[in-house]
C-alpha cells in the first residue's frame, strides 16, 4: 500500500535561492501529521510546494503512489487534496455560503449535501450563512476557511496554522474539529505554532528548520524530546 | 426648477453611458489589476459595429445595440487572447501601456474603415414628449430608452454576479486571486467572461452615445476620462460602486453647465476624480477588506 501523500527530497523556493533543502513528508489516511518549526523555517513553503503553488526544482510528490510533482492546484483539488493557506484564506466580500460554494467550484451536481456536512461540523456557519466573511471574527473566518476546503470532500486536508490568532478556547475547539475531520477518514497535514497542543493530537510530527527535516517522530515522543522542547516548544 | 429637472435627465442619460463603461473598467481592474485604457475605444468600435450592422440590413437605430454588444464581446476576448494574455504575468503597468497602444490601434482602425467624419444612426430629429405635469419638461423617447436599457443591463450584471457560479467566481477572484486558484476556480475562463461583459457593456455605452449624439472616431476616447472618474469614484474594482459613480459624475457634469460653460464638463469629471483620489482613494463606499 502506498501512502496517501509522500514528498521526498524537495528542493525549491520563490525563484531565488532554494528555501526547501531536501524536505520530506508523509501522511497516511488515518493520520494527523503536524509540522512545527521556527518562523521562516519553510513550513508554509513546504505546504505550497506540495500543493503545486511553487516550483519544485528537485524531488517528488506522490499521492496514493501517483506522481503529482508540480501539478496545478486545480488538479490537486480534483485529486481530493484541499489546502487552507496561512493568511487571507477567505473571500471577504462573499457571504459564508458563497465562500463554501467557491470551495466546490469544480464539483459537479447539487451542493446541498456537501453544505449540510460542513454546517453539521460548524453549526455557527449555518447560522451565519448570509454574512459577509470579511465582517466575521478571526475564529469564524477560520471556520469558513476550513469549511471551504472541506466542500470537495477531500481525502487530504492541508491546514497552514489553523489556530493562529485564536483565543485558547477557540484553539481547543479547532483541534477538536480537526480530530473529528480526521475520524471521518480524512488525512490531515497541518503546520502549527501551538506546537504542544498540536503534537498532543498528532499521529506524527516533523520538526522543520531552515528548509530541512530536523526531527521526526510520533507526537508524544517529540513532546518528550528535550532537544525539541528546547528548540521549538519554548521549554 | 424645470431647468434643473431637465439637466437631471441629461445627467442621468450621460450617467447611464458612463456606468456602462465604468462597470467594465471596474471589473477588469478587479480581476486583472490594470486600468484598461482602450475601454473608450471599445465604446467607439462598438458604436461603429452597430452602425455597419444596421446599414447592412437596413434596420432602425436600436438594432445597433445587440449587434454591437455581441460583436464587442467577441472582439474583447480576441484582443485579450492575442495581446493581454501574453503579458498577464508581467507587471500591471505593462498591461496598462499595452492597453494604451491598443487604444491607438483601435482608433486608427475605426478611422481607416469608417472615415473621420461625423455619422449618425438615423437622420432627422426626434420630437421629445412635453411633460406638462413636470412643468413642461421635455423627454426624448431615446433618452428614456437609454435609461431603461441601462437599468436592465445593470440588473442583468447584478443577477449574474450574485446568482451564477461564474459570477460568484468573478467576485471571488477579484477578492482574493490566490485563494481562487487554490479553490480550483478556472481563472482563464473567468477572465474570458469578464472581457465578454466588459466589451459588451462598452459597446452599449458607445451605441447610447451614438444614438444620443453622433458617431465620431474619438467619441469613446473623449469619454474615457469621465468613465475612469466614475470607476474611481465608486471604488475601482467594484462594479456596484461604478453604477453610483457613473450617475454622480453624469449628473454633476450636466448640472455644472448651470454655473460654467459646457466646454468644461470633462474638467468637472476630472476635478471630482482628483478630489476623490486625494480624499478617499478607496472610493465612496467603505472597503470590505
Ligand atoms: N512569497 C515569497 N517570496 C519570496 N520569499 C518568501 C515568500 N514567502 C516566504 N518567503 C521566504 O521563505 C522563507 C520561508 O518562509 P515560510 O513562509 O515558508 O516560513 P514558515 O516556516 O511558514 O514561517 P511562519 O512560521 O512565519 O509562517 C522565509 O525566509 C521567507 O522570507
Ligand atoms: Mg508559515
Amino acid at each position: 500500500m502506498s501512502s496517501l501523500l509522500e514528498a521526498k527530497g524537495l528542493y525549491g523556493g520563490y525563484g531565488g535561492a532554494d528555501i526547501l533543502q531536501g524536505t520530506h513528508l508523509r501522511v497516511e489516511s488515518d493520520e494527523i501529521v503536524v509540522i512545527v518549526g521556527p518562523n521562516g523555517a519553510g513550513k508554509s513553503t513546504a505546504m505550497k510546494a506540495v500543493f503545486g503553488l511553487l516550483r519544485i526544482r528537485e524531488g517528488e510528490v506522490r499521492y496514493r503512489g501517483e506522481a503529482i510533482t508540480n501539478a496545478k492546484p486545480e488538479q490537486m483539488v480534483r485529486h481530493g487534496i484541499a489546502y487552507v493557506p496561512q493568511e487571507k484564506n477567505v473571500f471577504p466580500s462573499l457571504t459564508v455560503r458563497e465562500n463554501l460554494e467557491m470551495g466546490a467550484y469544480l464539483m459537479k451536481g447539487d451542493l446541498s449535501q456537501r453544505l449540510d456536512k460542513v454546517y453539521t461540523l460548524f453549526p455557527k456557519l449555518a447560522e451565519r450563512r448570509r454574512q459577509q466573511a470579511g465582517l466575521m471574527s478571526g475564529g469564524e473566518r477560520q471556520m469558513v476557511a476550513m469549511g471551504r476546503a472541506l466542500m470537495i470532500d477531500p481525502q487530504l486536508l492541508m491546514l497552514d496554522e489553523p489556530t493562529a490568532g485564536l483565543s485558547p478556547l477557540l484553539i481547543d475547539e479547532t483541534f477538536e474539529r480537526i480530530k473529528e475531520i480526521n475520524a471521518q477518514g480524512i488525512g490531515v497535514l497541518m503546520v502549527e505554532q501551538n506546537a504542544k497542543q498540536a503534537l498532543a493530537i498528532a499521529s506524527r510530527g516533523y520538526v522543520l528548520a531552515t528548509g530541512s527535516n530536523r526531527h521526526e517522530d510520533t507526537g508524544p515522543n517529540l513532546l518528550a524530546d528535550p532537544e525539541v522542547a528546547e528548540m521549538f516548544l519554548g521549554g | 426648477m424645470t431647468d434643473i429637472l431637465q439637466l437631471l435627465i441629461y445627467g442621468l442619460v450621460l450617467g447611464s453611458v458612463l456606468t456602462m463603461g465604468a462597470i467594465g473598467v471596474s471589473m477588469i481592474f478587479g480581476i486583472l489589476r490594470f486600468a484598461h485604457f482602450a475601454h473608450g475605444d471599445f465604446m467607439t468600435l462598438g458604436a461603429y459595429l452597430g452602425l455597419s450592422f444596421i446599414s447592412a440590413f437596413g434596420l432602425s437605430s436600436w438594432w445597433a445595440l445587440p449587434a454591437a454588444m455581441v460583436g464587442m464581446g467577441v472582439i474583447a476576448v480576441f484582443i485579450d487572447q492575442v495581446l493581454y494574455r501574453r503579458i498577464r504575468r508581467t507587471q500591471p503597468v505593462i498591461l496598462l501601456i499595452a492597453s494604451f497602444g491598443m487604444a491607438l490601434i483601435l482608433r486608427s482602425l475605426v478611422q481607416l474603415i469608417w472615415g473621420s467624419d461625423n455619422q449618425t444612426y438615423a437622420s432627422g430629429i426626434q420630437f421629445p414628449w412635453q411633460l406638462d405635469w413636470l412643468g413642461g419638461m421635455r423627454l426624448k423617447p431615446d433618452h428614456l430608452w437609454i435609461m431603461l436599457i441601462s437599468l436592465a443591463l445593470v440588473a442583468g450584471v447584478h443577477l449574474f454576479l450574485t446568482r451564477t457560479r461564474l459570477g460568484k467566481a468573478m467576485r471571488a477572484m477579484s477578492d482574493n486571486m490566490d485563494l481562487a486558484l487554490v479553490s480550483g476556480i478556472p481563472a482563464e475562463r473567468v477572465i474570458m467572461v469578464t472581457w465578454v461583459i466588459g466589451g459588451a457593456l462598452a459597446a452599449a455605452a458607445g451605441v447610447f452615445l451614438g444614438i444620443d449624439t453622433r458617431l465620431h472616431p474619438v467619441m469613446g476616447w473623449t469619454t474615457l476620462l469621465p468613465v475612469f472618474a466614475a470607476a474611481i469614484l465608486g471604488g475601482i474594482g467594484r462594479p456596484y460602486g461604478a453604477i453610483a459613480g457613473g450617475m454622480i459624475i453624469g449628473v454633476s457634469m450636466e448640472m455644472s453647465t448651470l454655473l460654467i460653460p459646457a466646454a468644461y464638463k470633462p474638467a468637472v469629471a476630472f476635478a471630482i476624480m482628483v478630489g476623490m483620489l486625494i480624499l478617499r482613494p478607496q472610493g465612496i463606499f467603505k472597503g470590505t477588506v
Side-chain angles (χ1 to χ4, degrees):
Chain A
M1 260 304 280
S2 41
S3 302
L4 180 62
L5 180 84
E6 182 151 32
K8 279 191 220 156
L10 299 186
Y11 287 85
Y14 298 94
D18 284 347
I19 305 288
L20 301 178
Q21 306 281 346
T23 318
H24 60 92
L25 296 165
R26 181 170 60 82
V27 185
E28 306 294 340
S29 289
D30 56 356
E31 286 185 322
I32 296 176
V33 173
V34 172
I35 305 173
V36 294
N39 290 113
K43 306 181 297 290
S44 297
T45 306
M47 298 281 267
K48 288 183 212 164
V50 167
F51 199 73
L53 291 171
L54 59 89
R55 228 186 134 61
I56 296 170
R57 205 176 47 72
E58 204 186 306
E60 80 170 351
V61 182
R62 286 184 173 273
Y63 179 73
R64 296 185 180 288
E66 186 187 338
I68 56 163
T69 321
N70 287 326
K72 290 205 176 82
E74 187 186 323
Q75 289 164 286
M76 300 294 177
V77 172
R78 287 189 196 282
H79 274 113
I81 307 176
Y83 163 65
V84 179
Q86 180 173 354
E87 282 164 334
K88 297 194 180 153
N89 50 22
V90 299
F91 299 111
S93 79
L94 269 56
T95 64
V96 168
R97 200 198 136 114
E98 286 170 339
N99 265 274
L100 298 181
E101 285 174 24
M102 288 304 106
Y105 191 89
L106 290 172
M107 303 295 120
K108 299 269 171 278
D110 191 22
L111 296 185
S112 54
Q113 261 186 329
R114 295 170 190 272
L115 284 167
D116 283 345
K117 244 174 123 172
V118 171
Y119 289 150
T120 314
L121 192 66
F122 301 111
K124 190 81 166 248
L125 296 187
E127 270 169 51
R128 300 282 173 90
R129 67 184 84 191
R130 284 174 212 286
Q131 182 154 35
Q132 263 188 20
L135 302 176
M136 301 176 93
S137 70
E140 291 164 339
R141 276 211 300 270
Q142 276 299 348
M143 291 182 203
V144 175
M146 258 196 254
R148 179 201 56 77
L150 288 170
M151 285 295 286
I152 64 167
D153 265 328
Q155 306 290 306
L156 173 63
L157 179 62
M158 299 171 57
L159 304 169
D160 197 343
E161 302 204 13
T163 66
L166 301 190
S167 68
L169 203 71
L170 277 171
I171 292 176
D172 290 344
E173 197 187 315
T174 305
F175 284 135
E176 282 310 308
R177 292 293 94 79
I178 291 170
K179 279 201 279 187
E180 267 177 64
I181 292 166
N182 177 245
Q184 293 171 11
I186 300 172
V188 176
L189 174 63
M190 68 172 164
V191 173
E192 256 307 326
Q193 289 285 7
N194 294 301
K196 273 186 193 170
Q197 268 176 292
L199 288 173
I201 66 158
S203 325
R204 284 183 306 109
Y206 293 94
V207 179
L208 216 65
T210 57
S212 54
N213 295 58
R214 282 294 167 79
H215 300 271
E216 169 183 349
D217 212 328
T218 62
N221 283 356
L222 281 180
L223 276 175
D225 186 327
E227 194 188 341
V228 171
E230 196 195 332
M231 272 176 87
F232 306 119
L233 306 180
Chain B
M1 191 58 207
T2 317
D3 276 0
I4 293 184
L5 270 178
Q6 194 69 60
L7 285 176
L8 183 67
I9 296 288
Y10 293 155
L12 292 176
V13 171
L14 178 59
S16 304
V17 172
L18 300 182
T19 298
M20 293 298 104
I23 291 176
V25 165
S26 215
M27 277 181 160
I28 292 163
F29 187 87
I31 302 283
L32 297 167
R33 302 279 143 193
F34 79 104
H36 186 229
F37 266 81
H39 219 70
D41 297 280
F42 273 29
M43 291 164 56
T44 310
L45 183 58
Y48 277 93
L49 287 177
L51 179 68
S52 286
F53 182 77
I54 59 171
S55 45
F57 294 96
L59 297 167
S60 59
S61 320
W62 279 104
W63 284 103
L65 183 69
M69 289 181 72
V70 171
M72 268 326 284
V74 173
I75 291 173
V77 170
F78 177 77
I79 289 174
D80 176 59
Q81 294 293 312
V82 169
L83 176 65
Y84 302 143
R85 185 194 170 126
R86 292 165 199 276
I87 48 178
R88 202 114 74 210
R89 305 212 174 276
T90 61
Q91 291 162 343
V93 67
I94 294 181
L95 278 159
L96 186 146
I97 292 166
S99 76
F100 202 90
M102 184 48 70
L104 295 172
I105 293 171
L106 293 179
R107 207 172 317 151
S108 313
L109 203 69
V110 166
Q111 248 173 48
L112 212 63
I113 300 176
W114 287 280
S116 48
D117 295 336
N118 288 348
Q119 301 193 51
T120 52
Y121 286 125
S123 47
I125 299 168
Q126 194 177 34
F127 288 100
W129 297 314
Q130 179 125 7
L131 306 177
D132 289 327
W133 52 279
L134 271 174
M137 196 188 68
R138 290 153 195 277
L139 178 62
K140 276 204 221 170
D142 278 348
H143 282 171
L144 183 66
W145 281 117
I146 288 173
M147 290 187 278
L148 289 179
I149 294 171
S150 300
L151 201 65
L153 289 173
V154 163
V157 169
H158 170 70
L159 288 178
F160 171 76
L161 288 174
T162 53
R163 301 289 157 85
T164 69
R165 218 161 61 110
L166 213 53
K168 291 175 199 176
M170 195 176 281
R171 284 160 54 220
M173 258 178 83
S174 86
D175 250 18
N176 188 337
M177 185 66 86
D178 294 333
L179 192 62
L181 187 71
V182 161
S183 305
I185 291 172
E188 283 300 324
R189 191 174 323 154
V190 174
I191 290 171
M192 219 181 259
V193 176
T194 307
W195 283 109
V196 169
I197 295 175
L201 293 180
V207 172
F208 290 164
L209 268 182
I211 282 180
D212 187 27
T213 56
R214 80 233 143 28
L215 286 85
H216 190 268
V218 295
M219 63 192 280
W221 176 246
T222 52
T223 316
L224 188 65
L225 176 70
V227 164
F228 273 15
I232 288 169
L233 192 62
I236 191 146
R238 280 177 215 163
Y240 293 104
I243 301 163
M247 290 302 164
I248 293 171
I249 298 282
V251 170
S252 313
M253 281 171 74
E254 292 297 342
M255 290 288 180
S256 74
T257 58
L258 285 171
L259 306 168
I260 50 176
Y264 289 112
K265 275 197 249 176
V268 171
F270 187 68
I272 296 176
M273 179 170 86
V274 170
M276 205 55 200
L277 284 172
I278 293 169
L279 297 173
R280 248 190 104 77
Q282 72 273 41
I284 26 180
F285 300 108
K286 238 180 74 190
T288 50
V289 196

